[in-house]
Amino acid sequence: QAELAMYKVKESGRNNISFYDPQMQIEILQRKQMESDLEHAIINDEFSLFYQAQVSNNNGVIGAEALLRWFHPKQGIIYPDNFIPQLEETGLIIPVGEKILHDGCQKLQLWANIPEFSQLTLSINVSAVQLLHEGFSDYIKQLVARFEIKPGRLKLEITESIFIENIDATIAVMNELANYGVLFSLDDFGTGFSSLCYLKSLPLAQLKIDKSFVKDLLEDESDIAISKTIVNLANSLKFNVIAEGVESAEQQALLQQIGCNNYQGYYFHRPAEAHEFEAFTLDYNSHKVSDQSQEDGLGLAH
Ligand code: C2E
Ligand code: MG
Ligand code: MG
Ligand code: MG
């Protein structure tokens, strides 16, 4: 507990509110409770990573996104939207984020030694607070060296919100890591602070079409137009592109039609524990390979 204190944002900076409003009193108490729950969660190691497959038309499962889960002893599984903001606000995202990066890189090391998994990439979400925290790039480099992984297997997902403040500092950290070989993906693209001019100065490898555009893709012409534009933009800038939130074969087909060949979503795979993701990958890719050899066989016959 004492060790966690060093990460935390000073109390006075946060709860500096009048104590006469009872509603606010309640909110402050709830936040305090949450904060102490989060500290316990760190100490008791209640956080772990789920993995969701990323699939390409030509190569089957090409990677995974690591998604944080909190296994609360009383409340059960808690999803990140319900606690990441408070982790960021309190500064506790730093130790939690380091554990996520550590576990993710350890997983990449394990995969590197298994031929069926050795080409997989792992995408890890990082927030602005983490990226701008002193020593972030050194921490990543240490992990990459320690686990002897190829830096290009690690993909960091950031969102546009990261560029609202400290654009120059953010770009500097990104450049340092990109030069080292780590990949960057721009998550939830098109939903945030979208200024096209910064895109050209960022060392990105990938744009990620947000699931809000995929959701009604089949019915909504403007979602098709936006998705198409993102794909064309990615192609022009030599970035890879992936769609998230793909829930049906029809959505995949339409995405493929507009030139997007990489997908993530419940239609393929739901986030799951590592061993389940690994079993899925073996199964999916073995079918993929046998489909391919059948096609090759036909090709030879002609
Ligand atoms: P994200 O990075 O955009 O992750 C995609 C979210 O969409 C995940 O929610 C995933 O479970 C969900 N999803 C995947 N396929 C589908 C689908 O077909 N349909 C629908 N409706 N949803 C789908 P999740 O796991 O609840 O994570 C929510 C957000 O929390 C993430 O959004 C990310 O911003 C943040 N997050 C998750 N893990 C971490 C982490 O380790 N560190 C940080 N800093 N943030 C994280
Ligand atoms: Mg993400
Ligand atoms: Mg996203
Ligand atoms: Mg999101």
Side-chain angles (χ1 to χ4, degrees):
Q1 199 114 23
E3 249 177 61
L4 291 178
M6 71 187 211
Y7 294 107
K8 287 172 60 184
V9 175
K10 285 272 176 302
E11 201 81 51
S12 55
R14 290 184 283 124
N15 292 332
N16 185 7
I17 309 163
S18 158
F19 273 81
Y20 298 102
D21 180 338
Q23 182 57 36
M24 239 165 210
Q25 278 276 34
I26 293 171
E27 277 167 29
I28 290 172
L29 286 175
Q30 283 172 340
R31 263 195 288 155
K32 286 236 170 266
Q33 181 61 50
M34 176 71 160
E35 192 172 327
S36 115
D37 279 4
L38 286 169
E39 285 175 24
H40 278 103
I42 296 171
I43 292 161
N44 300 333
D45 210 15
E46 291 166 10
F47 293 111
S48 68
L49 292 176
F50 268 24
Y51 296 82
Q52 184 179 32
Q54 299 181 327
V55 172
S56 94
N57 277 324
N58 298 324
N59 300 307
V61 177
I62 49 169
E65 177 174 7
L67 295 160
L68 190 61
R69 298 293 180 257
W70 178 6
F71 294 90
H72 193 285
K74 294 206 187 85
Q75 295 173 48
I77 190 161
I78 305 181
Y79 291 86
D81 288 336
N82 301 310
F83 62 86
I84 295 270
Q86 188 141 14
L87 283 178
E88 291 176 347
E89 204 182 301
T90 54
L92 291 172
I93 190 70
I94 301 302
V96 175
E98 287 183 350
K99 176 201 151 60
I100 293 164
L101 290 162
H102 170 277
D103 289 2
C105 289
Q106 193 167 41
K107 187 57 74 187
L108 278 171
Q109 178 190 43
L110 201 118
W111 288 345
N113 295 312
I114 304 170
E116 287 87 346
F117 302 142
S118 63
Q119 306 300 309
L120 296 177
T121 57
L122 183 63
S123 296
I124 298 184
N125 295 284
V126 296
S127 52
V129 191
Q130 290 176 269
L131 198 105
L132 291 173
H133 186 253
E134 172 89 47
F136 178 77
S137 52
D138 288 339
Y139 185 76
I140 300 268
K141 289 180 189 174
Q142 276 169 30
L143 286 175
V144 167
R146 170 173 165 201
F147 291 115
E148 299 177 299
I149 56 180
K150 291 203 177 95
R153 300 269 182 269
L154 178 62
K155 199 179 277 172
L156 301 179
E157 292 199 357
I158 54 169
T159 61
E160 294 155 294
S161 65
I162 221 166
F163 303 108
I164 294 173
E165 284 174 83
N166 298 314
I167 302 187
D168 294 341
T170 305
I171 294 180
V173 175
M174 287 179 71
N175 277 332
E176 189 178 339
L177 284 169
N179 289 335
Y180 185 66
V182 171
L183 306 177
F184 283 93
S185 176
L186 195 49
D187 203 357
D188 304 348
F189 185 67
T191 63
F193 170 77
S194 287
S195 162
L196 294 178
C197 73
Y198 69 77
L199 270 188
K200 66 175 183 192
S201 49
L202 297 180
L204 291 174
Q206 183 178 68
L207 297 183
K208 204 162 186 185
I209 301 176
D210 188 63
K211 55 179 177 292
S212 63
F213 301 125
V214 175
K215 191 167 171 283
D216 301 319
L217 197 64
L218 300 165
E219 302 88 48
D220 192 333
E221 289 288 337
S222 35
D223 284 336
I224 299 178
I226 292 168
S227 301
K228 237 187 231 174
T229 303
I230 297 175
V231 172
N232 292 340
L233 188 62
N235 288 338
S236 312
L237 295 170
K238 308 273 188 298
F239 303 153
N240 165 293
V241 64
I242 185 169
E244 71 176 8
V246 181
E247 295 187 358
S248 71
E250 291 76 15
Q251 288 171 339
Q252 180 201 1
L254 188 45
L255 285 161
Q256 182 169 1
Q257 211 181 311
I258 63 173
C260 177
N261 295 307
N262 303 305
Y263 322 96
Q264 190 182 329
Y266 298 162
Y267 173 62
F268 299 95
H269 181 242
R270 283 182 180 258
E273 284 179 43
H275 67 88
E276 201 278 347
F277 161 74
E278 288 157 4
F280 170 82
T281 299
L282 288 179
D283 182 62
Y284 192 94
N285 286 355
S286 70
H287 289 102
K288 196 77 198 167
V289 169
S290 53
D291 289 355
Q292 198 65 45
S293 46
Q294 267 176 22
E295 282 164 27
D296 291 351
L298 283 175
L300 281 176
H302 283 82

